[in-house]
Amino acid sequence: QVQLVESGGGLVQPGESLRLSCTVSGSVTEIYPVSWYRQAPGKQRDWVAQITNDIKAYKNSVKGRFTIFRDNAKNTVYLQMSSLKPEDTAVYYCNLNRGSEGVTWGQGTQVTVSS
């Protein structure tokens, strides 16, 4: 059974950085896309970034500030977040899409950006 575990969230001040981790357990190859989503209080869950092999894509509002990358040896996908803003405050989730084999979500990690 495939599981995703996120970590790395926390409370930071505007302008600071955080690195989120999403570790995938189970037998999964790196060909499947892994995405980060976020959900702010009272809002829908929104897509933030995706990595498929070495192809990366980002939500416009995080381009230039967030970087998604993976360490296949550790079965982990990271989201490096810089120049954080209060509007980046949300619960961040990672998502593994294996097509017909299903979509798996992690439990989420809270990111709070506040002075």
Side-chain angles (χ1 to χ4, degrees), residues 10-110:
L11 171 63
V12 296
Q13 294 189 346
E16 293 186 339
S17 300
L18 273 178
R19 178 180 292 185
L20 306 183
S21 300
C22 173
T23 299
V24 182
S25 65
S27 179
V28 178
T29 68
E30 58 266 24
I31 66 170
Y32 295 115
V34 175
S35 300
W36 284 96
Y37 286 73
R38 65 187 182 188
Q39 187 167 19
K43 296 189 176 181
Q44 67 180 16
R45 191 172 296 187
D46 285 338
W47 173 80
V48 175
Q50 178 177 294
I51 185 167
T52 307
N53 290 329
D54 290 329
I55 299 171
K56 306 174 184 181
Y58 299 94
K59 178 183 178 70
N60 283 340
S61 63
V62 307
K63 281 182 181 177
R65 299 190 299 121
F66 291 11
T67 302
I68 188 170
F69 61 100
R70 67 196 311 163
D71 183 336
N72 292 329
K74 296 182 178 180
N75 291 328
T76 299
V77 173
Y78 300 93
L79 186 67
Q80 177 68 45
M81 305 185 295
S82 303
S83 301
L84 283 162
K85 305 175 181 180
E87 51 263 44
D88 295 317
T89 295
V91 178
Y92 284 70
Y93 299 89
C94 63
N95 164 297
L96 172 68
N97 188 343
R98 294 179 292 149
S100 60
E101 296 181 51
V103 175
T104 306
W105 291 90
Q107 83 287 353
T109 185
Q110 176 71 47

